[in-house]
Amino acid sequence: MVTTTVIADLCIFLLTWNVGTHSPRDQQLTSLLALNGNSTCPGNQLPDIYVIGMQEVSTKQVLKIFQDDPWVLKIASALQEHEFVKVEAKQLQGILITMFAQHKHIPHMKNIETEATRTGLGGLWGNKGAVSIRLSLYGTGAVFVCSHLAAHDDKLKERIEDYHQIVDNHKYDSVGYRRIFDHDFVFWLGDLNFRLSGNMSAWDVRTDVENGRYADLLKLDQLNLLREKGNAFSLLEEQQPDFAPTFKFVEGTNDYDLKRRPAWCDRILHRVQSNVYPGIVLSANQLSYQAHSDYTLSDHRPVSATFNYRVESANQTFTDEELYEMTHGAASTPTAPNKETRE
């Protein structure tokens, strides 16, 4: 008879939003952060951890090294009322990632590192690229990546190259977890900027959206096609969106701006290496994936997802300290490198 011990059973809330350089001043984030009884976590409980990625954050604050971005302060203000604390934040020009956790989880977070990779303008400025937070979470290696890839329909090759540049250049100091895909859990979110292949007009795309023909449009989605071919993001999984394209809107409305074809630019993907340690089972069951149409600040809609981050041991009892020694110790073995092609 198999006996199972639960080491960690967490609900993690992920959010990505391209805010178009707008200030958070007048934004009420209660609904967006599932703080008003609309949580998708089990039992309608608040998440254990929030990871929020943003793009096109105003860079006016970048040179104020010791001051958090106004968006981080706004999020912190909303979450502090519920006894969340900021774990870490990392900003690269307009790309921002921040993590908050319930206070009880802080002792189970170790080896916290951040990283950034510039890809825009040859990597000289950082208007495109990625930032990340990695850590040991209840003994397992987890990394959260927020990226903003090259824009426009005709820049598919550049988006693929951006992705590989991020994977190649993101490096960490933790033994066994030097690179993104060495981690047991990988969560990748952001304005990935993938558009629809083919020559459908913006008006025809809008008509399909209005008639709920998402599945037909997603067959043309560049990200789906790339993952099938193994060119990029194929090491990650995505629950297919069942919400309308999140770009491009007339700001302040839910009307598409047909200067661009509507597209699912804003995405959240993940990867779990389920059985890499003897007697340990890792899982990340996705509980939700949704766009938030009430938030019309920019020409993008925010997108969120929740995951049940679970660590279990079978037929033996581990503490997360013992699991940490197994996963982060000198004898731990890095996983297979990225095998994707760039074509």
Side-chain angles (χ1 to χ4, degrees):
M1 179 179 178
V2 177
T3 59
T4 300
T5 301
V6 177
I7 300 171
D9 186 7
L10 309 175
C11 184
I12 298 182
F13 178 99
L14 306 178
L15 175 76
T16 179
W17 192 7
N18 183 323
V19 296
T21 73
H22 287 287
S23 163
R25 185 181 304 113
D26 298 324
Q27 293 296 297
Q28 297 297 322
L29 302 181
T30 302
S31 176
L32 184 62
L33 298 177
L35 298 173
N36 61 350
N38 61 335
S39 172
T40 54
C41 293
N44 198 30
Q45 298 294 309
L46 290 180
D48 295 282
I49 296 171
Y50 284 87
V51 179
I52 298 167
M54 291 185 162
Q55 308 82 42
E56 294 191 23
V57 169
S58 173
T59 58
K60 292 179 181 178
Q61 298 288 332
V62 168
L63 297 179
K64 297 183 179 180
I65 299 173
F66 300 107
Q67 181 175 336
D68 276 330
D69 181 89
W71 278 102
V72 176
L73 296 174
K74 184 79 172 185
I75 295 163
S77 177
L79 293 178
Q80 282 169 357
E81 298 178 14
H82 300 272
E83 299 186 351
F84 284 83
V85 295
K86 190 183 85 170
V87 176
E88 186 58 277
K90 180 68 173 179
Q91 185 167 358
L92 173 67
Q93 298 298 332
I95 310 169
L96 170 69
I97 190 170
T98 186
M99 175 185 289
F100 290 81
Q102 292 185 26
H103 192 272
K104 65 183 179 182
H105 299 302
I106 300 301
H108 303 280
M109 297 177 163
K110 296 182 178 181
N111 289 23
I112 301 169
E113 299 180 58
T114 63
E115 179 61 293
T117 297
R118 295 177 173 87
T119 60
L121 299 177
L124 296 177
W125 176 236
N127 60 318
K128 295 294 188 292
V131 291
S132 69
I133 299 172
R134 70 83 46 205
L135 72 160
S136 167
L137 181 58
Y138 282 86
T140 60
V143 64
F144 301 86
V145 183
C146 171
S147 66
H148 192 188
L149 307 185
H152 304 305
D153 280 32
D154 62 344
K155 299 298 183 183
L156 176 59
K157 182 178 179 181
E158 287 80 357
R159 285 189 279 281
I160 296 172
E161 188 56 38
D162 284 352
Y163 166 80
H164 285 287
Q165 191 173 345
I166 293 162
V167 170
D168 290 345
N169 291 312
H170 256 54
K171 298 176 182 178
Y172 310 99
D173 294 330
S174 295
V175 173
Y177 298 104
R178 303 296 192 190
R179 297 179 179 274
I180 290 172
F181 288 111
D182 290 343
H183 286 79
D184 307 314
F185 293 85
V186 179
F187 298 92
W188 195 310
L189 59 150
D191 178 2
L192 306 186
N193 255 322
F194 288 108
R195 311 303 172 92
L196 299 179
S197 62
N199 298 311
M200 285 184 70
S201 71
W203 290 267
D204 287 341
V205 173
R206 182 180 64 180
T207 297
D208 276 1
V209 170
E210 290 173 344
N211 287 293
R213 292 195 284 267
Y214 301 160
D216 291 338
L217 290 172
L218 283 165
K219 292 177 182 177
L220 304 175
D221 176 73
Q222 290 177 342
L223 178 58
N224 284 340
L225 295 173
L226 282 177
R227 292 181 59 246
E228 289 173 6
K229 293 178 181 178
N231 297 139
F233 290 96
S234 62
L235 301 179
L236 296 147
E237 299 178 12
E238 184 193 26
Q239 179 177 303
Q240 284 300 281
D242 61 358
F243 46 82
T246 56
F247 175 84
K248 173 179 173 74
F249 290 91
V250 177
E251 291 185 0
T253 78
N254 275 312
D255 299 325
Y256 285 109
D257 181 347
L258 298 183
K259 294 176 183 176
R260 298 281 187 273
R261 296 189 300 163
W264 285 274
C265 290
D266 309 280
R267 312 289 275 267
I268 299 174
L269 301 92
H270 76 288
R271 182 193 195 213
V272 183
Q273 301 195 79
S274 301
N275 297 290
V276 291
Y277 308 112
I280 300 294
V281 178
L282 311 179
S283 61
N285 180 39
Q286 188 162 353
L287 305 175
S288 69
Y289 195 20
Q290 58 188 319
H292 298 266
S293 59
D294 292 341
Y295 287 83
T296 62
L297 179 70
S298 73
D299 56 0
H300 289 254
R301 292 294 167 268
V303 171
S304 70
T306 50
F307 290 87
N308 181 199
Y309 186 112
R310 194 170 173 90
V311 182
E312 300 173 279
S313 64
N315 288 331
Q316 51 189 319
T317 301
F318 284 99
T319 65
D320 64 287
E321 289 282 349
E322 292 168 332
L323 182 56
Y324 173 85
E325 291 300 321
M326 179 191 299
T327 60
H328 289 70
S332 61
T333 303
T335 58
N338 181 7
K339 298 295 186 182
E340 296 168 308
T341 62
R342 295 173 187 250
E343 298 178 0

